[in-house]
Amino acid sequence: MTLIKSISGIRGTIGGKASESLSPLEIVKIVSAYAIQRRRSCKIKSNYIVVGRDARISGDMVKQIVCGTLQGLGFDVINIGLASTPTTELAVTMSEACGGIILTASHNPRQWNALKLLNEKGEFLNQEEANEIIQLAERTDEFVYADIDHLGKYYKDLSFEQKHINLVKDLELVDVEAIRNAHFKVAIDCVNSVGGLILPRLLNQLGVERVTGLYTDPTGFFGHNPEPLEQNLTDIKNLMKQGGHDLAFVVDPDVDRLALICEDGTMFGEEYTLVTVADYILQNQRGNAVSNLSSTRALRDVAARYGATYTPSAVGEVNVVTKMKETGAIIGGEGNGGVIYPAAHYGRDALVGIALILTYLAKKKMTLSQLRATYPNYVITKNRIDLKPEMNIDAILDAVKKHYSNEKITDIDGVKIDFPTAWVHLRKSNTEPIIRVYSEASTEEEANKLAEDVINQVMSLI
């Protein structure tokens, strides 16, 4: 059994000892701490908290505990039902709520669930706020619950799915008429979660001519490993190889990551979802771009085409958003298919990505594989260095930084070494005694060789 508390939320497996899993007791403690933090820190006067969830089997159980705990603390709950992560984020601001809780473990397998915590802007809490909640959750003597006359109210509002779609359709750079005139035939894989509810509705309203769905029934019984990586997408790749579709969209269980498959069944590359959206945005609007340190260099190259400044951020959505605000970026995200377009909202949103990519393809009048060929070709590989728990990972990374001091070094999150035509990023895991090693070059062979050289150098320092 596993329980992980971090800036990304509180996630864990269902079942087992209370302190070693996402148990009902842990859920009550975290939600209580979050509610107290919202009372102290919310910058607007509101008594509402939004709750939305993906289709996980444990979702209904977790939802009932979360909603009841919030009511017990005197908050009025707006339950928006089965909803994507970006839908829940938008519901917070649309409801003028003081926060929101998303019940999703994103791409983790079915035995996992999580609480993702939002502020009044519908954005994830920062590191300081997350740490405050984690510490407060262990001080249960500070929990003061409402008396019988001040219990919170409970509302159910299922209108936000359509409100989310309306927001996407109304974006200045989304052209519904162009999409309709392109007569797109699209396949989707929604891994039997909430994407199966909202994606067909979005595509229909965007004017897509035909939609073929795989795993669109939101049962929570995932049709395959829910992370949208090539090795997990055999079924939809085979469907695309049969012909008859222009492209395929694949989302994870909470619909904040977007992967594309070309008309011939080949992977577009998850790193290139953000690159493509940025290419379209930066052609039409002046501004800058941001992605995390472990994302492809192709975004930097595309930004340079349009005279835009590219800035890297530490890994993590909240860090990307913070850097975007600092640099005035009009597009940003993460290389795992997470698109953040501030004209919509400051959150990864597959619906926004879908609408912008369909518009761009309609205007370019080319296939998805032809569009992919217009971008620099890079390959990212992912490796790890296993260490003994007693080893000082920070000291090891400092030694690596000194060894490669003649190269361009970025150390806002681990150590990234930028070589002229490639890079390697080393960062310590928050959950294991390992160093994650990401590398990028023009070919997989080159990227692996570069990672191997750096790993060997690290091992020589241990």
Side-chain angles (χ1 to χ4, degrees):
M1 300 296 104
T2 307
L3 182 65
I4 301 170
K5 302 175 182 180
S6 72
I7 193 173
S8 300
I10 314 303
R11 61 190 175 101
T13 50
I14 300 297
K17 292 184 178 180
S19 61
E20 298 175 0
S21 65
L22 192 67
S23 65
L25 178 58
E26 288 295 331
I27 294 169
V28 169
K29 289 165 61 178
I30 290 297
V31 173
S32 297
Y34 169 74
I36 293 169
Q37 193 271 347
R38 287 288 80 206
R39 287 273 190 234
R40 294 174 179 172
S41 304
C42 183
K43 293 181 173 61
I44 64 172
K45 187 176 181 180
S46 172
N47 201 50
Y48 295 113
I49 290 183
V50 172
V51 177
R53 72 177 182 93
D54 70 14
R56 287 172 186 274
I57 299 164
S58 60
D60 188 60
M61 178 271 289
V62 176
K63 175 208 71 179
Q64 292 186 60
I65 297 169
V66 169
C67 292
T69 302
L70 290 170
Q71 288 180 268
L73 283 148
F75 276 96
D76 298 328
V77 175
I78 303 175
N79 171 25
I80 67 170
L82 291 172
S84 74
T85 282
T87 304
T88 310
E89 292 169 349
L90 286 165
V92 171
T93 54
M94 290 177 176
S95 302
E96 298 184 336
C98 69
I101 301 179
I102 309 167
L103 314 181
T104 176
S106 191
H107 62 270
N108 287 90
R110 63 197 288 270
Q111 67 268 30
W112 289 78
N113 212 325
L115 311 179
K116 294 188 175 182
L117 309 175
L118 305 173
N119 62 20
E120 69 275 11
K121 296 179 181 178
E123 300 169 12
F124 290 117
L125 303 184
N126 62 34
Q127 185 72 66
E128 182 180 352
E129 293 166 328
N131 288 340
E132 179 186 358
I133 289 168
I134 291 169
Q135 293 167 12
L136 182 58
E138 300 307 316
R139 303 200 300 268
T140 56
D141 58 325
E142 296 185 24
F143 297 171
V144 179
Y145 295 93
D147 61 37
I148 192 65
D149 295 316
H150 296 90
L151 295 174
K153 298 179 176 61
Y154 176 88
Y155 304 95
K156 191 167 187 177
D157 187 343
L158 303 183
S159 67
F160 291 99
E161 178 181 282
Q162 185 57 52
K163 291 175 180 176
H164 185 181
I165 292 172
N166 290 344
L167 178 145
V168 172
K169 290 192 301 180
D170 290 342
L171 290 170
E172 181 182 353
L173 292 184
V174 171
D175 190 331
V176 176
E177 183 178 0
I179 294 171
R180 182 177 293 110
N181 291 338
H183 303 288
F184 284 121
K185 299 171 183 62
V186 172
I188 55 174
D189 179 345
C190 302
V191 73
N192 286 340
S193 191
V194 293
L197 297 173
I198 197 167
L199 258 60
R201 195 170 177 180
L202 169 75
L203 292 167
N204 177 265
Q205 293 184 40
L206 287 174
V208 170
E209 186 168 287
R210 177 162 58 86
V211 178
T212 303
L214 294 183
Y215 305 118
T216 56
D217 190 8
T219 62
F221 290 93
F222 300 144
H224 52 78
N225 183 309
E227 188 163 15
L229 302 177
E230 181 173 10
Q231 60 265 31
N232 302 327
L233 305 179
T234 302
D235 292 343
I236 195 161
K237 285 178 62 183
N238 287 339
L239 173 64
M240 293 300 292
K241 288 175 183 176
Q242 296 172 17
H245 295 90
D246 297 297
L247 73 162
F249 296 116
V250 182
V251 293
D252 61 341
D254 67 326
V255 201
D256 63 354
R257 288 175 60 176
L258 176 64
L260 311 178
I261 301 176
C262 298
E263 71 285 351
D264 58 0
T266 59
M267 295 296 297
F268 189 73
E270 64 173 353
E271 291 284 334
Y272 286 83
T273 300
L274 173 58
V275 172
T276 304
V277 173
D279 185 25
Y280 176 49
I281 297 298
L282 293 173
Q283 286 180 44
N284 291 278
Q285 297 176 339
R286 291 183 60 83
N288 300 320
V290 169
S291 65
N292 71 41
L293 284 171
S294 289
S295 300
T296 181
R297 186 178 279 187
L299 181 60
R300 183 202 66 178
D301 296 348
V302 166
R305 289 181 186 176
Y306 306 108
T309 298
Y310 165 77
T311 307
S313 79
V315 173
E317 181 173 330
V318 66
N319 296 319
V320 176
V321 168
T322 299
K323 187 61 67 175
M324 290 178 71
K325 291 178 179 179
E326 288 176 1
T327 61
I330 60 171
I331 185 63
E334 299 186 283
N336 60 9
V339 173
I340 302 174
Y341 184 40
H345 63 120
Y346 277 107
R348 296 186 304 179
D349 192 330
L351 276 71
V352 169
I354 287 170
L356 291 170
I357 287 169
L358 286 175
T359 299
Y360 194 28
L361 277 178
K363 292 178 178 293
K364 294 286 282 187
K365 301 186 187 304
M366 59 171 55
T367 66
L368 191 61
S369 61
Q370 288 171 338
L371 182 60
R372 175 64 179 81
T374 67
Y375 300 125
N377 195 52
Y378 296 110
V379 178
I380 290 179
T381 61
K382 300 179 181 181
N383 295 276
R384 58 188 276 172
I385 303 172
D386 293 285
L387 304 170
K388 295 178 181 179
E390 67 271 14
M391 290 180 175
N392 188 329
I393 299 179
D394 289 331
I396 293 170
L397 293 177
D398 282 342
V400 170
K401 186 165 61 173
K402 291 177 183 176
H403 180 81
Y404 289 99
S405 59
N406 290 332
E407 308 294 342
K408 180 183 177 183
I409 299 291
T410 306
D411 59 2
I412 59 174
D413 185 3
V415 176
K416 184 174 183 179
I417 311 160
D418 269 294
F419 300 97
T421 60
W423 56 259
V424 177
H425 183 204
L426 302 92
R427 60 188 297 267
K428 63 180 179 179
S429 168
N430 293 323
T431 59
E432 302 173 84
I434 67 171
I435 295 175
R436 302 193 186 279
V437 182
Y438 290 7
S439 56
E440 182 178 67
S442 297
T443 67
E444 184 175 358
E445 182 181 25
E446 292 174 23
N448 278 324
K449 177 63 168 61
L450 186 59
E452 182 182 345
D453 291 344
V454 173
I455 288 172
N456 288 338
Q457 182 60 43
V458 171
M459 298 307 291
S460 72
L461 298 170
I462 295 176

